[in-house]
Amino acid sequence: MDALILFSVFLLMTLAFLFVFFASNNKVVFHAHGLRHQVCLFLLVVIPIFVWGLVLAGFRPVDVGFDTPRYVETFLNLDGVFTARMVGESYYGNTEFLLWPFQSLLKPFLSVRGWLVFNYCLVFFLVYLYYRGSAKALGFSSAIFALVFLTFFLVYAGNTMRQVLAIPIGALGFQLYRRGNFFGGLFAIFIAIGFHWSSIMFLAAPAFSLGFFKRDRVYLLMPLLALFSSVFLMDLVGFVIALIDVPMLTDRFNLYFSEGRVSHVGHVWEKANFWICSITALVFFYVCRPSRYSDNVLHQYVVLFLSLVFFGITNADFSERYMPYILLVIPLLVAMIADRISIPAFAKNFIFLGFFLVLGALVFASGSSQQTLGYSF
């Protein structure tokens, strides 16, 4: 992949962001203003980021990274809806019950390249679908959803395809359930689990009806408690898996915990993603106290997955698995933090847009991004 083209796209995206900053007329750019403002954000934020992600993830080489070649091989061997799950288990090794049957419906119409592009576009749309409700509830423009693809979520979109399909669907289900649409929420969570087993954690949604989740300090104490409990990770997860007694989950537990598997991740606390997720989430809980808001669904979502990241810190595969769940909501967290600070609108815009431009540059320059998405500079 030509580094000059990538750099040019990033430069154009930066210039578009700068134009938004200087043309904002003392309006907070992430707030939901009128139609003109929404069109401006769509043209100068959403479209440039969409193209940026399309080039990097949608048009990545098919032979790079650890997962992409195996996804492509599995896709090429699909021969129908009813055998798709078995083909997926044979060639890729996953046992989710919806992923490959869904992908098999696409095979007659798409080439391998078309399939990768379609999946990227689908993830982009699903993230928007989640933000349409979550951003509106906070008084923010749904256009900020595109900023998710300036985080490492973009790299996941070009690697762990099944998980990035599951995450926004599960997040939408969690949101629907916590706002009273129980059937719709559980249905969406079921779909998410069918794409990736890690989404089973969304079934914790009913637990947030407990009274102590109305206390601010719980949202800081729960991740810390999870961190200190991490030494018991294997025993506690093993107990839960045995209680549920689902063979596919038992296989996953044996692979990641009982068979001495060596993780490619290394120590999770050495990864930039860990600190980006952890620091942003903890600052969010401190600055944006739940008691200040009538809707705490986002707080509940973040505390669930930050606790899982901390709880799994002794097992890098487990902890890293839940980081993209937090990356999905990073634009919402940064917007809420900036909104709480008593500074002029232009300063809020500088913090907000600057944060994601810097983060996008870090992702672009990261060695793991280059290795996974198949570019270099």
Side-chain angles (χ1 to χ4, degrees):
M1 197 177 296
D2 193 332
L4 181 60
I5 295 175
L6 291 173
F7 180 76
S8 299
V9 173
F10 187 79
L11 181 61
L12 290 172
M13 184 168 60
T14 302
L15 293 173
F17 272 44
L18 289 173
F19 182 85
V20 171
F21 174 71
F22 286 112
S24 57
N25 295 323
N26 289 322
K27 292 182 179 179
V28 179
V29 295
F30 51 80
H31 282 179
H33 299 294
L35 179 61
R36 183 178 177 181
H37 181 73
Q38 297 298 323
V39 171
C40 178
L41 290 182
F42 177 76
L43 293 176
L44 297 175
V45 176
V46 177
I47 289 181
I49 294 177
F50 172 77
V51 173
W52 168 249
L54 183 65
V55 172
L56 282 174
F59 285 94
R60 69 190 184 275
V62 298
D63 59 349
V64 299
F66 179 72
D67 288 317
T68 297
R70 295 191 300 144
Y71 274 121
V72 170
E73 181 185 15
T74 307
F75 177 72
L76 291 173
N77 282 279
L78 294 175
D79 58 359
V81 175
F82 298 107
T83 59
R85 199 195 70 83
M86 291 184 291
V87 170
E89 186 173 1
S90 299
Y91 285 90
Y92 189 84
N94 69 293
T95 56
E96 285 86 356
F97 51 88
L98 289 180
L99 174 70
W100 293 115
F102 169 73
Q103 302 293 355
S104 70
L105 297 174
L106 306 176
K107 189 183 178 185
F109 310 103
L110 298 173
S111 64
V112 168
R113 174 58 58 205
W115 177 63
L116 293 176
V117 168
F118 176 85
N119 273 272
Y120 166 75
C121 294
L122 180 59
V123 171
F124 200 82
F125 173 74
L126 290 172
V127 173
Y128 162 72
L129 205 60
Y130 166 67
Y131 267 72
R132 190 176 65 171
S134 57
K136 182 180 179 180
L138 297 167
F140 298 153
S141 168
S142 58
I144 66 173
F145 86 92
L147 297 168
V148 173
F149 295 86
L150 289 182
T151 74
F152 280 92
F153 192 90
L154 174 63
V155 182
Y156 286 98
N159 188 40
T160 58
M161 293 167 57
R162 57 199 173 108
Q163 189 177 21
V164 293
L165 285 169
I167 291 172
I169 299 173
L172 179 61
F174 184 89
Q175 179 178 266
L176 290 172
Y177 186 92
R178 294 304 308 148
R179 290 179 180 159
N181 187 344
F182 302 121
F183 177 78
L186 289 174
F187 179 74
I189 291 171
F190 173 80
I191 298 297
I193 295 170
F195 279 109
H196 201 271
W197 285 117
S198 66
S199 292
I200 200 168
M201 294 302 180
F202 283 118
L203 291 176
F208 288 95
S209 297
L210 296 173
F212 62 80
F213 282 107
K214 297 179 181 179
R215 301 174 182 175
D216 290 350
R217 61 179 177 270
V218 169
Y219 291 85
L220 285 170
L221 291 176
M222 187 171 161
L224 296 177
L225 178 63
L227 181 62
F228 289 121
S229 302
S230 61
V231 293
F232 306 110
L233 173 67
M234 182 173 174
D235 294 332
L236 290 173
V237 174
F239 172 77
V240 173
I241 294 296
L243 196 65
I244 298 174
D245 195 26
V246 176
M248 285 77 79
L249 293 178
T250 302
D251 292 341
R252 295 285 98 183
F253 173 77
N254 291 335
L255 174 64
Y256 288 108
F257 290 90
S258 303
E259 296 177 357
R261 182 177 185 268
V262 178
S263 171
H264 71 284
V265 177
H267 296 303
V268 73
W269 56 84
E270 296 176 349
K271 305 301 177 182
N273 253 355
F274 174 79
W275 294 107
I276 291 168
C277 293
S278 302
I279 293 174
T280 306
L282 290 173
V283 171
F284 165 68
F285 287 136
Y286 181 76
V287 174
C288 306
R289 308 292 175 86
S291 59
R292 295 170 176 168
Y293 300 88
S294 59
D295 186 320
N296 296 141
V297 175
L298 182 60
H299 292 80
Q300 296 164 3
Y301 175 98
V302 175
V303 79
L304 170 62
F305 289 106
L306 182 64
S307 298
L308 288 169
V309 168
F310 281 5
F311 181 57
I313 200 169
T314 57
N315 185 296
D317 287 308
F318 184 94
S319 182
E320 192 261 351
R321 183 67 71 190
Y322 288 102
M323 290 182 196
Y325 287 84
I326 299 176
L327 292 175
L328 174 70
V329 298
I330 288 289
L332 293 173
L333 304 189
V334 176
M336 289 184 71
I337 292 168
D339 213 33
R340 288 295 308 176
I341 304 173
S342 299
I343 52 177
F346 79 89
K348 294 178 189 285
N349 296 342
F350 180 80
I351 292 172
F352 185 70
L353 296 174
F355 177 90
F356 286 101
L357 278 179
V358 171
L359 187 55
L362 290 174
V363 172
F364 181 41
S366 166
S368 61
S369 300
Q370 295 178 54
Q371 182 180 11
T372 302
L373 300 177
Y375 66 93
S376 61
F377 63 93

